[in-house]
Amino acid sequence: MRRLLLTTALSLAAVLSVSSLRAAPDQGAMPQGGTPPSAPSVGAEPLKPGKPAVKPYLSETALPDPLKILPPPPAHHSPLDNADHAAFTSTRALKGTARWNLAANDVAEGAAAVLENFACVLGVRIDAGKVPATINLLERARLDLARMTRIPKVHYRRLRPFVGNESPICVQRTQALADSFSYPSGHATQGWAYALIMAALVPEKSTAILARGRAYGESRVICGVHWLSDVAAGRTNGSSTFAALMGDAGFRSDLDKARTELRGALTEGSPAPDVAFCTHEADALREPPLEF
């Protein structure tokens, strides 16, 4: 009963914090058995591609339906919901560790950031300006990934784990972040899909690339801005998008161009990443994977 009262109080606080925002067009789209109508309005949803210079690969009809692929977020007090809360609580103890610092570094996203994120596993730092075909591939795919993430985020409107408490997180607390949605993780969706793309581009390093992609998604839990189940759903979401992209002739053509281009960048004397940073990253990644 005490936990129910606390949950209700936090929910009311969340409602008050966003009451000035535009009302959501579909207040009834909630997961079965769980989330109370306490998440911010659809008008507060910040996940937008911005002003892209390119269009996504997938048409509306070719885009998979994430609402039919992903399960709803865990219902309150269910075993998965309890696991979500336990993971959030236990990972607060990582503040100040190498893993926490890597999670903070993993906040950066986008095509240029992914090249930096995979620099240690690739063994070179690739200048984004020298691989335009690769950047184009990743940025166009990012628009598809954003659409695949936005649909369930807006539908479920799940609150992030730090809302309503003062637990440490690895980024600055802002109202915009608090008013955004948690399920599924956009970072985990993008990070896993990018890992799949990079593994297809550099298959001989696929194990290290995919391991780094897994850790990139888990950084969101370490950071305290996503639930464990958000990240699990993000991986499924990223895999679903990648599968659909592989069915698109334009994506496959651009993938081949990027593979040739990236192969040249890997062999033509690109600078090695910072040894100290890669040692730091390796130490951080020795932390066991989070259990889903």
Side-chain angles (χ1 to χ4, degrees):
M1 177 63 71
R2 292 178 62 189
R3 183 175 180 182
L4 177 60
L5 290 173
L6 177 60
T7 301
T8 302
L10 296 178
S11 297
L12 289 173
V15 170
L16 291 174
S17 71
V18 296
S19 59
S20 63
L21 299 172
R22 178 172 61 84
D26 179 13
Q27 295 287 351
M30 292 289 169
Q32 293 183 349
T35 307
S38 60
S41 73
V42 171
E45 169 55 37
L47 183 67
K48 295 181 175 66
K51 297 179 180 179
V54 293
K55 63 180 181 180
Y57 285 105
L58 301 174
S59 67
E60 291 294 333
T61 56
L63 194 75
D65 185 350
L67 297 180
K68 294 180 179 178
I69 298 170
L70 300 178
H76 282 298
H77 308 306
S78 68
L80 286 178
D81 182 57
N82 293 337
D84 274 345
H85 283 82
F88 174 71
T89 300
S90 65
T91 51
R92 296 315 85 213
L94 293 174
K95 182 179 179 180
T97 66
R99 187 63 185 90
W100 180 276
N101 294 335
L102 180 62
N105 188 70
D106 282 349
V107 171
E109 58 178 338
V114 74
L115 296 179
E116 285 294 320
N117 289 335
F118 290 112
C120 291
V121 299
L122 291 175
V124 297
R125 291 191 67 211
I126 299 173
D127 182 349
K130 295 181 178 179
V131 286
T134 303
I135 295 297
N136 175 69
L137 175 77
L138 296 174
E139 286 298 336
R140 284 195 68 181
R142 189 183 184 198
L143 300 182
D144 295 297
L145 293 163
R147 290 191 295 163
M148 283 288 288
T149 305
R150 185 167 56 250
I151 292 168
K153 275 178 175 281
V154 170
H155 182 80
Y156 292 117
R157 300 190 290 277
R158 190 186 197 190
L159 291 176
R160 293 179 183 268
F162 66 85
V163 173
N165 61 72
E166 298 301 321
S167 298
I169 61 176
C170 81
V171 294
Q172 182 180 1
R173 286 173 177 262
T174 66
Q175 195 60 49
L177 181 62
D179 288 349
S180 63
F181 308 120
S182 194
Y183 183 90
S185 166
H187 274 71
T189 297
Q190 182 183 138
W192 187 244
Y194 274 3
L196 291 170
I197 292 172
M198 293 296 292
L201 295 175
V202 193
E204 68 273 18
K205 293 183 179 289
S206 60
T207 297
I209 289 171
L210 293 171
R212 183 66 180 90
R214 172 193 55 74
Y216 179 86
E218 289 179 359
S219 285
R220 304 306 282 169
V221 180
I222 306 296
C223 216
V225 294
H226 274 293
W227 302 105
L228 199 61
S229 56
D230 298 339
V231 172
R235 290 182 191 167
T236 300
N237 210 33
S239 296
S240 301
T241 311
F242 179 73
L245 287 169
M246 286 298 292
D248 182 82
F251 175 81
R252 293 196 306 273
S253 176
D254 285 351
L255 189 73
D256 290 338
K257 294 174 186 176
R259 184 181 295 110
T260 300
E261 177 185 76
L262 196 59
R263 182 71 57 191
L266 291 172
T267 58
E268 64 185 18
S270 296
D274 182 74
V275 174
F277 179 83
C278 289
T279 299
H280 173 88
E281 179 177 291
D283 289 342
L285 295 177
R286 288 194 181 96
E287 291 284 338
L290 298 178
E291 296 182 4
F292 289 93

